């Protein structure tokens, strides 16, 4: 993933405009505009602004990138810890003013006794689960991170439209996608990413002991989800 960090650093520190490409296992590569990672509050879509408005207490921002969402929360006097796997992105976050940063994989970091009121994953951050089974594991793992009455907030997309003229995969869920970055002629390693539709999320959330609410459906296959534990106090 450090090809990603290099591209972000070139953009932020050196003002270079080299293109970051995202290759996939279903079609042509797409350019990944680096500007999207550096948006301020006024440039964010309604879905992200709604998610930020629902954040409360101590927030864990997973997959924080260069800290754009964390900075909005800080400016609103909300305590936020930004977690990001890319060391390069974490350096940029620090230079942009994010105060609490963890450079780690969510599954390998030792949080000790720390618990959060809100766990936030935006820009389809739930994709880090990689697979349907990974989603089940993440929802079980998240219960250890969230205080009673706390919440998971994330957006996802139903990408069934990609298969309008193509057969769906026979061996795995159609929202399990493989990607890799290309930057300045260099390729990163392939990685998996999950796009979970509402029906699948509702089914797995229920099985895992969560109550699911759709806070926003933009009618363009993207939606915002709030999960709270069924057996915990709801708020």
């Amino acid at each position: 993933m450090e090809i990603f960090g290099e591209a972000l650093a070139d953009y932020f520190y050196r003002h270079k405009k080299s293109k970051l490409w995202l290759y996939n296992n279903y079609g042509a590569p797409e350019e990944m505009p680096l500007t999207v990672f550096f948006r301020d509050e006024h440039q964010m879509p309604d879905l992200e602004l709604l998610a930020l408005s629902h954040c409360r207490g101590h927030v864990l921002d997973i997959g924080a990138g260069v800290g754009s969402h964390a900075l909005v929360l800080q400016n609103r006097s909300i305590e936020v810890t930004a977690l990001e796997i890319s060391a390069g992105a974490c350096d940029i976050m620090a230079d942009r003013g994010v105060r609490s940063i963890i450079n780690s994989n969510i599954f390998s970091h030792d949080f000790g006794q720390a618990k959060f009121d809100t766990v936030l994953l935006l820009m389809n951050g739930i994709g880090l689960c990689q697979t349907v089974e990974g989603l089940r594991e993440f929802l079980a793992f998240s219960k250890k991170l969230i205080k009673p009455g706390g919440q998971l907030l994330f957006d996802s997309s139903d990408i069934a439209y990609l298969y309008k003229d193509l057969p769906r995969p026979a061996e795995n869920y159609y929202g399990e996608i493989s990607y890799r970055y290309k930057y300045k002629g260099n390729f990163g390693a392939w990685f998996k990413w999950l796009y979970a539709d509402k029906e699948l999320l509702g089914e797995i959330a229920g099985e895992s002991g969560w109550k699911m609410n759709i806070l926003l459906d933009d009618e363009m296959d993207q939606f915002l989800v709030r999960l709270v534990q069924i057996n915990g106090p709801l708020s």
Side-chain angles (χ1 to χ4, degrees):
M1 291 290 284
E2 277 314 288
I3 279 184
F4 177 61
E6 179 186 1
L8 293 171
D10 277 350
Y11 179 88
F12 183 70
Y13 294 115
R14 293 175 281 278
H15 308 293
K16 292 185 178 180
K17 296 183 179 180
S18 299
K19 292 183 178 180
L20 176 66
W21 292 95
L22 189 61
Y23 282 66
N24 58 64
N25 65 335
Y26 59 81
E30 300 173 293
E31 184 184 352
M32 193 73 151
L34 292 167
T35 53
V36 73
F37 299 103
F38 293 89
R39 292 166 299 160
D40 61 27
E41 184 174 357
H42 303 292
Q43 297 168 314
M44 293 177 184
D46 290 342
L47 183 148
E48 292 179 18
L49 294 175
L50 180 61
L52 294 172
S53 74
H54 277 271
C55 288
R56 52 180 171 72
H58 188 180
V59 178
L60 177 64
D61 180 9
I62 299 177
V66 294
S68 293
H69 299 117
L71 287 169
V72 172
L73 294 174
Q74 278 187 187
N75 289 337
R76 297 178 181 180
S77 299
I78 294 175
E79 182 182 8
V80 56
T81 296
L83 184 142
E84 170 59 45
I85 196 170
S86 166
C90 287
D91 290 341
I92 295 171
M93 264 199 279
D95 287 337
R96 296 183 79 202
V98 177
R99 292 190 285 267
S100 178
I101 300 169
I102 299 172
N103 178 201
S104 180
N105 181 302
I106 180 64
F107 294 109
S108 60
H109 184 72
D110 182 5
F111 287 92
Q113 298 301 310
K115 289 185 179 290
F116 302 88
D117 301 283
T118 300
V119 172
L120 178 70
L121 305 96
L122 288 182
M123 297 180 70
N124 205 85
I126 198 70
L128 62 81
C129 297
Q130 300 187 343
T131 63
V132 172
E133 185 56 36
L135 176 61
R136 289 190 174 94
E137 293 173 1
F138 176 75
L139 292 184
F141 174 80
S142 296
K143 290 184 177 181
K144 304 174 184 177
L145 295 179
I146 296 179
K147 296 177 184 178
Q151 60 181 344
L152 265 171
L153 289 173
F154 60 89
D155 60 308
S156 187
S157 302
D158 184 349
I159 59 169
Y161 64 89
L162 291 177
Y163 299 96
K164 182 179 180 181
D165 299 314
L166 295 171
R168 294 190 182 186
E171 298 181 355
N172 57 278
Y173 172 62
Y174 67 84
E176 296 175 359
I177 302 295
S178 294
Y179 290 111
R180 66 173 173 172
Y181 287 115
K182 180 182 179 182
Y183 183 65
K184 296 194 296 191
N186 297 316
F187 282 98
W190 285 99
F191 61 94
K192 293 182 179 179
W193 206 252
L194 177 67
Y195 293 89
D197 68 89
K198 290 190 286 290
E199 183 176 352
L200 176 69
L201 280 168
E203 177 183 338
I204 294 179
E207 292 173 357
S208 305
W210 298 86
K211 178 182 177 182
M212 184 175 90
N213 294 105
I214 303 296
L215 300 180
L216 177 69
D217 187 336
D218 70 0
E219 299 183 350
M220 296 181 67
D221 307 302
Q222 190 175 25
F223 50 93
L224 178 63
V225 174
R226 179 177 185 251
L227 298 184
V228 294
Q229 292 185 48
I230 291 173
N231 295 327
L234 304 183
S235 57

